Amino acid sequence: VGNVGSGKTTFARELSRAVGYKNIDIDQWFQIFRQEQQHEAADLKELLGYILQKEKPPFIINHADLLRQDLVQDADMVVFLNPKREEQLKSRQLRTESGAEGEWQAVNTDDYDKIAEQNLDKLQGLGGEAKYTNEKSGTIVRVLENK
């Protein structure tokens, strides 16, 4: 999890290759869900339930709002990417210049710090154990207790 431009997609792709788990692309699954269910609307919670019906763990999934919407209760591990704001803004600029589309455009850059703080608060409230923390990169890995 992490803010827009924090490297979630790249990290998830690389991690899935390294550990041999399937990487779940939320945007692709939204499209599959909409086609199969024949309706546009789907919130993230509904989509995750749909994915869990179709895919068997282990897999890696990333989305900016998984923590803030309290949707990590079935996770074994949460990786929080929180690079410096300047790095996230560089990523956003590259997306803008390349003509990339997506919901990221609706996120106000002035809200980046607030969103990061909300994610960090939720992460700390999950319990489990922080296995890795790097203040320079802003990365935290927390292994959750089995429920």
Side-chain angles (χ1 to χ4, degrees):
V1 296
N3 234 335
V4 171
S6 62
K8 296 178 306 296
T9 300
T10 302
F11 182 82
R13 189 180 313 121
E14 293 300 316
L15 183 59
S16 69
R17 283 187 197 133
V19 298
Y21 291 1
K22 184 170 185 161
N23 183 33
I24 301 292
D25 182 322
I26 288 285
D27 293 333
Q28 285 180 342
W29 277 94
F30 266 124
Q31 292 174 355
I32 293 166
F33 178 86
R34 288 175 182 138
Q35 288 173 353
E36 197 170 289
Q37 301 299 314
Q38 298 182 350
H39 66 83
E40 268 309 295
D43 65 15
L44 189 54
K45 184 174 185 171
E46 184 178 12
L47 180 66
L48 290 176
Y50 176 79
I51 292 169
L52 285 170
Q53 290 174 2
K54 302 286 185 177
E55 294 290 335
K56 299 294 176 228
F59 53 76
I60 295 169
I61 192 166
N62 80 80
H63 192 276
D65 289 332
L66 289 171
L67 271 176
R68 292 188 310 136
Q69 292 185 24
D70 295 321
L71 297 173
V72 295
Q73 63 271 13
D74 293 324
D76 295 315
M77 179 184 297
V78 175
V79 178
F80 175 53
L81 302 178
N82 189 31
K84 292 181 175 40
R85 188 172 198 266
E86 302 80 46
E87 295 301 317
Q88 294 176 56
L89 292 173
K90 285 180 194 174
S91 175
R92 186 181 182 106
Q93 183 63 35
L94 289 172
R95 285 182 181 196
T96 301
E97 291 170 359
S98 72
E101 296 182 12
E103 293 180 19
W104 61 272
Q105 293 170 320
V107 178
N108 187 324
T109 57
D110 292 337
D111 291 334
Y112 277 22
D113 293 334
K114 179 178 81 176
I115 292 168
E117 187 177 313
Q118 289 171 346
N119 277 327
L120 186 56
D121 287 345
K122 293 283 187 176
L123 182 69
Q124 291 173 340
L126 289 176
E129 181 181 353
K131 292 288 189 176
Y132 176 83
T133 301
N134 184 311
E135 289 185 31
K136 184 177 179 185
S137 70
T139 303
I140 300 170
V141 177
R142 183 171 292 273
V143 176
L144 305 182
E145 298 171 358
N146 290 334
K147 296 179 171 100

